[in-house]
Amino acid sequence: MNEITIKTPDDWHLHFRDGDILAETVAATARCFDRAIVMPNLAPPVRNAADAEAYKERILAARPEGSNFEPLMTLYLTDRTTAEDINEAAKAGIKAVKLYPAGATTNSDAAVTNIDGLADVFAALEANNMLLLVHGEVTDSHIDIFDREKEFIDQRMGPITQKYPTLKIVFEHITTKDAAEFVLAAGGNIGATITPQHLMLNRNDLLVGGIRPHNYCLPVLKRNIHQQALRDVVASGSDKFFLGTDSAPHEQAKKETACGCAGCYSAWAAIELYTQVFDELGALNKLEGFASLHGPKFYGLPENSGTITLLKESWTLPESITLPNGRPIIPFMAGSEVQWKLKS
Ligand code: NCD
Ligand code: ZN
C-alpha cells in the first residue's frame, strides 16, 4: 500500500505549553489533528474552569488562519481540588482531569500527594461522566524508575478501578507489557494512550552509544519486550488503545544539559511516525481505529467528519526548529528519514 486515507485523527494527550510558543505548537498539531486533549501542567497549572477557559482562548487565538482545530481542555488535580471544581468544570464543557502523582514529571510539584483524599472528586467525576486521565507512575524514591509504572498498577490503579467501577479512566502513555495487559483485562471503562516514541524505541535508544537526551521522556523508555508488547496491542486493533502523542516541547538548551527535561517534541511528524509503525507491523488497516475512532468512542464524542491522506514517500525531519522567541528546539527524530508523508 502506498497511500492511505483515514478519518481525521485526534491527539488524546498533548502539551502545548503557553505564551508565544503556542504559535509553533498549535500549528504543528493543527496540521493534521482536528482535536487534542490539552494537558494542564502549566506553571502554575490549570486548576479550575476559569483557568481552562482562559487557556483555551489563548490556544484558539494561536490557530493558523482557517483552522477549525478544537482544543479539549483538562484540569490538573491537586490535593485541594473539590467536587465543586469538578461540577463547575463539567458545566464549562471540560471533559477530563489529569492526575499526576506529585513529583512524577514536568511541573508536577503542585500535584496529588494523597490519592485517598480525592474520593469526593472521583465521585463527582463519575456523576458528571468526566474522565480521569492518569500519569501512572509511583514517585517513591526507593522504587526503581523502570519499575514505577508496574508498581503504580499494583499500588494505585488496581484499587482505584475497584473502588470506582464505572469511572472512565485513561491510563496515559503506557510503556510496559504490564500496563498493556492490565488495560486489556480491565473493564470497558479503562483505556490507554500510546506515544510514537514508546512504539518506535526502547531503552537502548536512550543509552547505547551515548546518552540521547531527545529520546528522554517520562515514563522513561523501557526494555524491548515492553516495546514489543505495545506494538502487539496496537496491531491487534483493540479499541482500548488510542493515539496520544505526548508531544512535550522543551527548548534545546533545556534538553541538552546536565539535568535535562523529559519530553519529546513529536508533533512535527507524529501521525507519519505512527503510520510508519503500523506499516512495519503489517497493520495499516488498524491505523484508523487507533488514530481516529477509538478515542472519540471512549470519550463519547463524535468522530471527525473529514479525512487525511498519507503517502508512502520519504522525507527528512529538520535537525532543528526555531521557536517564536528565536531559540532552537530539536524535534523528535530530528534529521531522520520518515517513510510516510502527510498529503497537503
Ligand atoms: C511531559 C512534559 O514535559 O510536560 N514530559 C514527558 O516526558 N512526557 C510531562 C508528562 O506527560 O509526563
Ligand atoms: Zn504528557
Side-chain angles (χ1 to χ4, degrees):
M1 221 199 287
N2 291 317
E3 182 173 329
I4 178 167
T5 296
I6 59 171
K7 280 210 171 185
T8 307
D10 303 299
D11 185 346
W12 300 98
H13 180 129
L14 173 70
H15 302 266
F16 275 143
R17 315 300 187 204
D18 205 356
D20 60 4
I21 197 175
L22 290 175
E24 159 64 32
T25 55
V26 176
T29 288
R31 77 193 171 88
C32 62
F33 295 110
D34 265 5
R35 295 172 292 198
I37 282 283
V38 179
M39 288 295 128
N41 63 330
L42 305 180
V46 179
R47 271 180 269 207
N48 52 47
D51 293 347
E53 301 261 276
Y55 184 30
K56 182 176 183 176
E57 288 308 314
R58 297 194 293 278
I59 294 167
L60 291 174
R63 290 186 300 186
E65 207 150 308
S67 167
N68 291 320
F69 173 78
E70 185 190 356
L72 304 172
M73 308 311 292
T74 62
L75 296 190
Y76 186 107
L77 282 185
T78 74
D79 287 332
R80 285 163 299 287
T81 306
T82 63
E84 191 47 33
D85 291 327
I86 302 303
N87 295 334
E88 288 289 310
K91 277 186 223 140
I94 293 168
K95 299 280 176 282
V97 301
K98 180 71 191 259
L99 172 68
Y100 287 105
T105 189
T106 312
N107 297 336
S108 64
D109 315 339
V112 173
T113 56
N114 176 22
I115 296 182
D116 299 325
L118 290 173
D120 290 354
V121 167
F122 289 175
L125 289 173
E126 225 172 345
N128 286 294
N129 198 24
M130 283 169 68
L131 278 69
L132 177 68
L133 313 180
V134 180
H135 183 110
E137 289 190 290
V138 297
T139 54
D140 316 56
S141 57
H142 67 283
I143 304 291
D144 189 276
I145 190 167
F146 292 102
D147 299 334
R148 289 180 174 201
E149 187 172 278
K150 162 87 170 76
E151 191 70 22
F152 189 88
I153 298 170
D154 300 342
Q155 273 189 36
R156 297 290 174 193
M157 206 62 153
I160 292 174
T161 54
Q162 268 157 28
K163 198 159 167 201
Y164 304 95
T166 58
L167 179 62
K168 279 195 201 173
I169 302 175
V170 183
F171 198 156
E172 299 278 39
H173 43 52
I174 60 166
T175 64
T176 57
K177 185 168 189 278
D178 311 275
E181 285 169 356
F182 173 84
V183 172
L184 274 173
N189 57 321
I190 314 295
T193 53
I194 306 184
T195 74
Q197 64 268 24
H198 293 104
L199 291 170
M200 296 178 70
L201 308 177
N202 59 62
R203 66 195 197 181
N204 282 4
D205 300 294
L206 179 64
L207 296 170
V208 172
I211 190 158
R212 294 173 201 277
H214 300 291
N215 291 345
Y216 174 58
C217 65
L218 288 169
V220 73
L221 295 169
K222 304 296 192 300
R223 283 179 179 277
N224 60 357
I225 55 161
H226 296 291
Q227 178 195 5
Q228 191 54 49
L230 300 180
R231 291 170 73 94
D232 291 346
V233 287
V234 300
S236 80
S238 163
D239 67 358
K240 295 183 131 260
F241 301 90
F242 38 94
L243 185 158
T245 63
D246 196 16
S247 183
H250 294 280
E251 290 178 8
Q252 179 175 18
K254 299 220 164 104
K255 296 284 293 173
E256 298 177 18
T257 178
C259 184
C261 293
C264 302
Y265 182 42
S266 63
W268 270 60
I271 192 66
E272 294 87 344
L273 293 171
Y274 280 118
T275 306
Q276 184 171 308
V277 168
F278 278 78
D279 190 12
E280 285 163 11
L281 294 169
L284 277 174
N285 61 339
K286 301 288 175 20
L287 176 67
E288 183 178 48
F290 178 78
S292 316
L293 309 180
H294 303 165
K297 185 173 164 203
F298 193 84
Y299 273 77
L301 293 170
E303 291 166 10
N304 293 320
S305 52
T307 60
I308 62 164
T309 297
L310 292 129
L311 305 173
K312 194 160 191 176
E313 196 179 299
S314 83
W315 59 289
T316 303
L317 263 157
E319 295 282 358
S320 173
I321 295 159
T322 303
L323 291 171
N325 64 11
R327 290 199 284 268
I329 186 168
I330 309 300
F332 179 57
M333 302 299 285
S336 326
E337 215 176 279
V338 185
Q339 303 308 320
W340 285 83
K341 192 168 186 186
L342 185 69
K343 189 173 171 181
S344 48

PDB file of all heavy atoms in Angstrom, residues 226-255:
ATOM      1  N   HIS A 226       8.912  -4.780  26.356  1.00  0.00           N
ATOM      2  CA  HIS A 226       7.776  -3.897  26.614  1.00  0.00           C
ATOM      3  C   HIS A 226       7.376  -3.160  25.331  1.00  0.00           C
ATOM      4  O   HIS A 226       6.194  -3.040  25.011  1.00  0.00           O
ATOM      5  CB  HIS A 226       8.109  -2.919  27.739  1.00  0.00           C
ATOM      6  CG  HIS A 226       8.340  -3.607  29.042  1.00  0.00           C
ATOM      7  ND1 HIS A 226       7.330  -4.233  29.734  1.00  0.00           N
ATOM      8  CD2 HIS A 226       9.466  -3.813  29.767  1.00  0.00           C
ATOM      9  CE1 HIS A 226       7.806  -4.776  30.833  1.00  0.00           C
ATOM     10  NE2 HIS A 226       9.110  -4.538  30.880  1.00  0.00           N
ATOM     11  N   GLN A 227       8.387  -2.678  24.607  1.00  0.00           N
ATOM     12  CA  GLN A 227       8.101  -2.038  23.316  1.00  0.00           C
ATOM     13  C   GLN A 227       7.324  -3.008  22.427  1.00  0.00           C
ATOM     14  O   GLN A 227       6.323  -2.648  21.803  1.00  0.00           O
ATOM     15  CB  GLN A 227       9.430  -1.644  22.643  1.00  0.00           C
ATOM     16  CG  GLN A 227       9.233  -1.004  21.274  1.00  0.00           C
ATOM     17  CD  GLN A 227      10.531  -0.964  20.466  1.00  0.00           C
ATOM     18  OE1 GLN A 227      11.578  -1.489  20.886  1.00  0.00           O
ATOM     19  NE2 GLN A 227      10.461  -0.345  19.311  1.00  0.00           N
ATOM     20  N   GLN A 228       7.771  -4.262  22.404  1.00  0.00           N
ATOM     21  CA  GLN A 228       7.116  -5.256  21.545  1.00  0.00           C
ATOM     22  C   GLN A 228       5.672  -5.488  21.988  1.00  0.00           C
ATOM     23  O   GLN A 228       4.771  -5.618  21.146  1.00  0.00           O
ATOM     24  CB  GLN A 228       7.910  -6.574  21.560  1.00  0.00           C
ATOM     25  CG  GLN A 228       7.457  -7.566  20.511  1.00  0.00           C
ATOM     26  CD  GLN A 228       7.461  -6.974  19.095  1.00  0.00           C
ATOM     27  OE1 GLN A 228       8.448  -6.364  18.679  1.00  0.00           O
ATOM     28  NE2 GLN A 228       6.350  -7.106  18.369  1.00  0.00           N
ATOM     29  N   ALA A 229       5.429  -5.496  23.293  1.00  0.00           N
ATOM     30  CA  ALA A 229       4.056  -5.707  23.782  1.00  0.00           C
ATOM     31  C   ALA A 229       3.146  -4.563  23.340  1.00  0.00           C
ATOM     32  O   ALA A 229       1.977  -4.785  22.980  1.00  0.00           O
ATOM     33  CB  ALA A 229       4.059  -5.824  25.305  1.00  0.00           C
ATOM     34  N   LEU A 230       3.675  -3.339  23.348  1.00  0.00           N
ATOM     35  CA  LEU A 230       2.865  -2.196  22.907  1.00  0.00           C
ATOM     36  C   LEU A 230       2.584  -2.305  21.410  1.00  0.00           C
ATOM     37  O   LEU A 230       1.469  -2.024  20.944  1.00  0.00           O
ATOM     38  CB  LEU A 230       3.580  -0.873  23.198  1.00  0.00           C
ATOM     39  CG  LEU A 230       3.913  -0.593  24.670  1.00  0.00           C
ATOM     40  CD1 LEU A 230       4.625   0.744  24.811  1.00  0.00           C
ATOM     41  CD2 LEU A 230       2.661  -0.603  25.535  1.00  0.00           C
ATOM     42  N   ARG A 231       3.600  -2.718  20.655  1.00  0.00           N
ATOM     43  CA  ARG A 231       3.404  -2.893  19.210  1.00  0.00           C
ATOM     44  C   ARG A 231       2.347  -3.965  18.949  1.00  0.00           C
ATOM     45  O   ARG A 231       1.490  -3.816  18.079  1.00  0.00           O
ATOM     46  CB  ARG A 231       4.739  -3.222  18.523  1.00  0.00           C
ATOM     47  CG  ARG A 231       5.699  -2.033  18.523  1.00  0.00           C
ATOM     48  CD  ARG A 231       7.097  -2.404  18.075  1.00  0.00           C
ATOM     49  NE  ARG A 231       7.244  -2.655  16.648  1.00  0.00           N
ATOM     50  CZ  ARG A 231       7.627  -1.743  15.750  1.00  0.00           C
ATOM     51  NH1 ARG A 231       7.892  -0.499  16.124  1.00  0.00           N
ATOM     52  NH2 ARG A 231       7.735  -2.056  14.479  1.00  0.00           N
ATOM     53  N   ASP A 232       2.394  -5.030  19.736  1.00  0.00           N
ATOM     54  CA  ASP A 232       1.410  -6.109  19.564  1.00  0.00           C
ATOM     55  C   ASP A 232      -0.021  -5.621  19.844  1.00  0.00           C
ATOM     56  O   ASP A 232      -0.930  -5.944  19.098  1.00  0.00           O
ATOM     57  CB  ASP A 232       1.730  -7.289  20.496  1.00  0.00           C
ATOM     58  CG  ASP A 232       2.998  -8.028  20.089  1.00  0.00           C
ATOM     59  OD1 ASP A 232       3.485  -7.806  18.962  1.00  0.00           O
ATOM     60  OD2 ASP A 232       3.517  -8.809  20.916  1.00  0.00           O
ATOM     61  N   VAL A 233      -0.204  -4.827  20.895  1.00  0.00           N
ATOM     62  CA  VAL A 233      -1.598  -4.424  21.193  1.00  0.00           C
ATOM     63  C   VAL A 233      -2.129  -3.446  20.156  1.00  0.00           C
ATOM     64  O   VAL A 233      -3.310  -3.503  19.826  1.00  0.00           O
ATOM     65  CB  VAL A 233      -1.873  -3.841  22.598  1.00  0.00           C
ATOM     66  CG1 VAL A 233      -1.831  -4.893  23.656  1.00  0.00           C
ATOM     67  CG2 VAL A 233      -1.091  -2.630  22.935  1.00  0.00           C
ATOM     68  N   VAL A 234      -1.292  -2.563  19.629  1.00  0.00           N
ATOM     69  CA  VAL A 234      -1.847  -1.671  18.593  1.00  0.00           C
ATOM     70  C   VAL A 234      -2.135  -2.450  17.318  1.00  0.00           C
ATOM     71  O   VAL A 234      -3.136  -2.210  16.642  1.00  0.00           O
ATOM     72  CB  VAL A 234      -1.006  -0.393  18.320  1.00  0.00           C
ATOM     73  CG1 VAL A 234      -0.864   0.460  19.555  1.00  0.00           C
ATOM     74  CG2 VAL A 234       0.333  -0.688  17.670  1.00  0.00           C
ATOM     75  N   ALA A 235      -1.277  -3.427  17.011  1.00  0.00           N
ATOM     76  CA  ALA A 235      -1.506  -4.238  15.806  1.00  0.00           C
ATOM     77  C   ALA A 235      -2.748  -5.109  15.956  1.00  0.00           C
ATOM     78  O   ALA A 235      -3.380  -5.481  14.963  1.00  0.00           O
ATOM     79  CB  ALA A 235      -0.285  -5.109  15.515  1.00  0.00           C
ATOM     80  N   SER A 236      -3.119  -5.424  17.210  1.00  0.00           N
ATOM     81  CA  SER A 236      -4.303  -6.268  17.438  1.00  0.00           C
ATOM     82  C   SER A 236      -5.592  -5.531  17.092  1.00  0.00           C
ATOM     83  O   SER A 236      -6.625  -6.144  16.869  1.00  0.00           O
ATOM     84  CB  SER A 236      -4.362  -6.704  18.909  1.00  0.00           C
ATOM     85  OG  SER A 236      -4.900  -5.658  19.725  1.00  0.00           O
ATOM     86  N   GLY A 237      -5.526  -4.186  17.095  1.00  0.00           N
ATOM     87  CA  GLY A 237      -6.724  -3.409  16.770  1.00  0.00           C
ATOM     88  C   GLY A 237      -7.667  -3.228  17.948  1.00  0.00           C
ATOM     89  O   GLY A 237      -8.768  -2.709  17.787  1.00  0.00           O
ATOM     90  N   SER A 238      -7.267  -3.635  19.148  1.00  0.00           N
ATOM     91  CA  SER A 238      -8.133  -3.473  20.328  1.00  0.00           C
ATOM     92  C   SER A 238      -8.556  -2.013  20.485  1.00  0.00           C
ATOM     93  O   SER A 238      -7.720  -1.104  20.425  1.00  0.00           O
ATOM     94  CB  SER A 238      -7.394  -3.925  21.589  1.00  0.00           C
ATOM     95  OG  SER A 238      -8.054  -3.408  22.736  1.00  0.00           O
ATOM     96  N   ASP A 239      -9.857  -1.808  20.714  1.00  0.00           N
ATOM     97  CA  ASP A 239     -10.352  -0.425  20.795  1.00  0.00           C
ATOM     98  C   ASP A 239     -10.096   0.224  22.154  1.00  0.00           C
ATOM     99  O   ASP A 239     -10.536   1.339  22.405  1.00  0.00           O
ATOM    100  CB  ASP A 239     -11.833  -0.350  20.412  1.00  0.00           C
ATOM    101  CG  ASP A 239     -12.734  -1.045  21.409  1.00  0.00           C
ATOM    102  OD1 ASP A 239     -12.224  -1.621  22.392  1.00  0.00           O
ATOM    103  OD2 ASP A 239     -13.967  -1.029  21.192  1.00  0.00           O
ATOM    104  N   LYS A 240      -9.350  -0.469  23.019  1.00  0.00           N
ATOM    105  CA  LYS A 240      -8.993   0.140  24.310  1.00  0.00           C
ATOM    106  C   LYS A 240      -7.776   1.054  24.189  1.00  0.00           C
ATOM    107  O   LYS A 240      -7.418   1.731  25.135  1.00  0.00           O
ATOM    108  CB  LYS A 240      -8.685  -0.959  25.317  1.00  0.00           C
ATOM    109  CG  LYS A 240      -9.909  -1.800  25.610  1.00  0.00           C
ATOM    110  CD  LYS A 240      -9.608  -2.840  26.652  1.00  0.00           C
ATOM    111  CE  LYS A 240     -10.680  -2.816  27.711  1.00  0.00           C
ATOM    112  NZ  LYS A 240     -10.344  -2.118  28.897  1.00  0.00           N
ATOM    113  N   PHE A 241      -7.129   1.049  23.035  1.00  0.00           N
ATOM    114  CA  PHE A 241      -5.877   1.795  22.880  1.00  0.00           C
ATOM    115  C   PHE A 241      -6.047   2.847  21.796  1.00  0.00           C
ATOM    116  O   PHE A 241      -6.571   2.551  20.724  1.00  0.00           O
ATOM    117  CB  PHE A 241      -4.749   0.821  22.524  1.00  0.00           C
ATOM    118  CG  PHE A 241      -4.559  -0.228  23.582  1.00  0.00           C
ATOM    119  CD1 PHE A 241      -5.257  -1.436  23.513  1.00  0.00           C
ATOM    120  CD2 PHE A 241      -3.751   0.001  24.684  1.00  0.00           C
ATOM    121  CE1 PHE A 241      -5.131  -2.390  24.515  1.00  0.00           C
ATOM    122  CE2 PHE A 241      -3.618  -0.956  25.694  1.00  0.00           C
ATOM    123  CZ  PHE A 241      -4.309  -2.147  25.613  1.00  0.00           C
ATOM    124  N   PHE A 242      -5.602   4.060  22.102  1.00  0.00           N
ATOM    125  CA  PHE A 242      -5.723   5.113  21.098  1.00  0.00           C
ATOM    126  C   PHE A 242      -4.558   6.085  21.134  1.00  0.00           C
ATOM    127  O   PHE A 242      -3.708   6.042  22.036  1.00  0.00           O
ATOM    128  CB  PHE A 242      -7.079   5.827  21.192  1.00  0.00           C
ATOM    129  CG  PHE A 242      -7.611   6.058  22.574  1.00  0.00           C
ATOM    130  CD1 PHE A 242      -7.364   7.256  23.237  1.00  0.00           C
ATOM    131  CD2 PHE A 242      -8.382   5.091  23.217  1.00  0.00           C
ATOM    132  CE1 PHE A 242      -7.866   7.484  24.509  1.00  0.00           C
ATOM    133  CE2 PHE A 242      -8.881   5.307  24.497  1.00  0.00           C
ATOM    134  CZ  PHE A 242      -8.627   6.509  25.146  1.00  0.00           C
ATOM    135  N   LEU A 243      -4.550   6.944  20.134  1.00  0.00           N
ATOM    136  CA  LEU A 243      -3.405   7.809  19.875  1.00  0.00           C
ATOM    137  C   LEU A 243      -3.311   8.953  20.879  1.00  0.00           C
ATOM    138  O   LEU A 243      -4.263   9.707  21.073  1.00  0.00           O
ATOM    139  CB  LEU A 243      -3.557   8.354  18.445  1.00  0.00           C
ATOM    140  CG  LEU A 243      -2.455   9.207  17.825  1.00  0.00           C
ATOM    141  CD1 LEU A 243      -2.560   9.151  16.295  1.00  0.00           C
ATOM    142  CD2 LEU A 243      -2.448  10.646  18.298  1.00  0.00           C
ATOM    143  N   GLY A 244      -2.148   9.076  21.493  1.00  0.00           N
ATOM    144  CA  GLY A 244      -1.851  10.225  22.347  1.00  0.00           C
ATOM    145  C   GLY A 244      -0.361  10.467  22.201  1.00  0.00           C
ATOM    146  O   GLY A 244       0.442   9.671  22.667  1.00  0.00           O
ATOM    147  N   THR A 245       0.008  11.534  21.511  1.00  0.00           N
ATOM    148  CA  THR A 245       1.431  11.702  21.169  1.00  0.00           C
ATOM    149  C   THR A 245       2.291  11.990  22.382  1.00  0.00           C
ATOM    150  O   THR A 245       3.462  11.682  22.396  1.00  0.00           O
ATOM    151  CB  THR A 245       1.636  12.865  20.183  1.00  0.00           C
ATOM    152  OG1 THR A 245       1.224  14.091  20.819  1.00  0.00           O
ATOM    153  CG2 THR A 245       0.881  12.643  18.892  1.00  0.00           C
ATOM    154  N   ASP A 246       1.702  12.684  23.386  1.00  0.00           N
ATOM    155  CA  ASP A 246       2.502  13.229  24.492  1.00  0.00           C
ATOM    156  C   ASP A 246       3.595  14.145  23.955  1.00  0.00           C
ATOM    157  O   ASP A 246       4.664  14.260  24.556  1.00  0.00           O
ATOM    158  CB  ASP A 246       3.093  12.115  25.368  1.00  0.00           C
ATOM    159  CG  ASP A 246       3.571  12.642  26.713  1.00  0.00           C
ATOM    160  OD1 ASP A 246       3.182  13.758  27.095  1.00  0.00           O
ATOM    161  OD2 ASP A 246       4.345  11.925  27.372  1.00  0.00           O
ATOM    162  N   SER A 247       3.330  14.776  22.803  1.00  0.00           N
ATOM    163  CA  SER A 247       4.295  15.754  22.283  1.00  0.00           C
ATOM    164  C   SER A 247       4.518  16.784  23.389  1.00  0.00           C
ATOM    165  O   SER A 247       3.568  17.374  23.898  1.00  0.00           O
ATOM    166  CB  SER A 247       3.708  16.399  21.023  1.00  0.00           C
ATOM    167  OG  SER A 247       4.640  17.293  20.452  1.00  0.00           O
ATOM    168  N   ALA A 248       5.780  16.953  23.793  1.00  0.00           N
ATOM    169  CA  ALA A 248       6.091  17.738  25.003  1.00  0.00           C
ATOM    170  C   ALA A 248       7.337  18.579  24.752  1.00  0.00           C
ATOM    171  O   ALA A 248       8.453  18.150  25.031  1.00  0.00           O
ATOM    172  CB  ALA A 248       6.293  16.797  26.189  1.00  0.00           C
ATOM    173  N   PRO A 249       7.135  19.779  24.179  1.00  0.00           N
ATOM    174  CA  PRO A 249       8.284  20.591  23.759  1.00  0.00           C
ATOM    175  C   PRO A 249       9.090  21.163  24.920  1.00  0.00           C
ATOM    176  O   PRO A 249       8.531  21.661  25.895  1.00  0.00           O
ATOM    177  CB  PRO A 249       7.632  21.716  22.942  1.00  0.00           C
ATOM    178  CG  PRO A 249       6.220  21.805  23.423  1.00  0.00           C
ATOM    179  CD  PRO A 249       5.843  20.404  23.807  1.00  0.00           C
ATOM    180  N   HIS A 250      10.396  21.053  24.802  1.00  0.00           N
ATOM    181  CA  HIS A 250      11.349  21.745  25.685  1.00  0.00           C
ATOM    182  C   HIS A 250      12.428  22.308  24.769  1.00  0.00           C
ATOM    183  O   HIS A 250      12.915  21.587  23.884  1.00  0.00           O
ATOM    184  CB  HIS A 250      12.001  20.776  26.666  1.00  0.00           C
ATOM    185  CG  HIS A 250      11.070  20.177  27.675  1.00  0.00           C
ATOM    186  ND1 HIS A 250      10.673  20.843  28.817  1.00  0.00           N
ATOM    187  CD2 HIS A 250      10.446  18.978  27.701  1.00  0.00           C
ATOM    188  CE1 HIS A 250       9.860  20.068  29.516  1.00  0.00           C
ATOM    189  NE2 HIS A 250       9.694  18.932  28.857  1.00  0.00           N
ATOM    190  N   GLU A 251      12.854  23.533  24.995  1.00  0.00           N
ATOM    191  CA  GLU A 251      13.912  24.127  24.180  1.00  0.00           C
ATOM    192  C   GLU A 251      15.168  23.262  24.220  1.00  0.00           C
ATOM    193  O   GLU A 251      15.429  22.594  25.230  1.00  0.00           O
ATOM    194  CB  GLU A 251      14.246  25.531  24.702  1.00  0.00           C
ATOM    195  CG  GLU A 251      13.140  26.520  24.431  1.00  0.00           C
ATOM    196  CD  GLU A 251      13.445  27.913  25.005  1.00  0.00           C
ATOM    197  OE1 GLU A 251      14.572  28.146  25.479  1.00  0.00           O
ATOM    198  OE2 GLU A 251      12.522  28.745  24.952  1.00  0.00           O
ATOM    199  N   GLN A 252      15.961  23.353  23.155  1.00  0.00           N
ATOM    200  CA  GLN A 252      17.193  22.566  23.049  1.00  0.00           C
ATOM    201  C   GLN A 252      18.068  22.697  24.295  1.00  0.00           C
ATOM    202  O   GLN A 252      18.571  21.702  24.825  1.00  0.00           O
ATOM    203  CB  GLN A 252      17.984  23.024  21.810  1.00  0.00           C
ATOM    204  CG  GLN A 252      19.289  22.278  21.616  1.00  0.00           C
ATOM    205  CD  GLN A 252      19.995  22.652  20.324  1.00  0.00           C
ATOM    206  OE1 GLN A 252      19.708  23.689  19.714  1.00  0.00           O
ATOM    207  NE2 GLN A 252      20.917  21.809  19.903  1.00  0.00           N
ATOM    208  N   ALA A 253      18.203  23.933  24.781  1.00  0.00           N
ATOM    209  CA  ALA A 253      19.089  24.169  25.925  1.00  0.00           C
ATOM    210  C   ALA A 253      18.580  23.490  27.196  1.00  0.00           C
ATOM    211  O   ALA A 253      19.357  23.203  28.113  1.00  0.00           O
ATOM    212  CB  ALA A 253      19.232  25.668  26.169  1.00  0.00           C
ATOM    213  N   LYS A 254      17.277  23.212  27.256  1.00  0.00           N
ATOM    214  CA  LYS A 254      16.742  22.549  28.453  1.00  0.00           C
ATOM    215  C   LYS A 254      16.801  21.024  28.337  1.00  0.00           C
ATOM    216  O   LYS A 254      16.571  20.315  29.318  1.00  0.00           O
ATOM    217  CB  LYS A 254      15.300  23.001  28.685  1.00  0.00           C
ATOM    218  CG  LYS A 254      15.196  24.502  28.919  1.00  0.00           C
ATOM    219  CD  LYS A 254      14.183  24.813  29.992  1.00  0.00           C
ATOM    220  CE  LYS A 254      14.355  26.220  30.507  1.00  0.00           C
ATOM    221  NZ  LYS A 254      13.379  27.167  30.021  1.00  0.00           N
ATOM    222  N   LYS A 255      17.071  20.523  27.123  1.00  0.00           N
ATOM    223  CA  LYS A 255      17.227  19.080  26.911  1.00  0.00           C
ATOM    224  C   LYS A 255      18.703  18.691  26.957  1.00  0.00           C
ATOM    225  O   LYS A 255      19.049  17.632  27.467  1.00  0.00           O
ATOM    226  CB  LYS A 255      16.663  18.674  25.535  1.00  0.00           C
ATOM    227  CG  LYS A 255      15.168  18.869  25.345  1.00  0.00           C
ATOM    228  CD  LYS A 255      14.322  17.823  26.026  1.00  0.00           C
ATOM    229  CE  LYS A 255      14.471  16.441  25.424  1.00  0.00           C
ATOM    230  NZ  LYS A 255      13.735  15.441  26.262  1.00  0.00           N
TER     231      LYS A 255
END
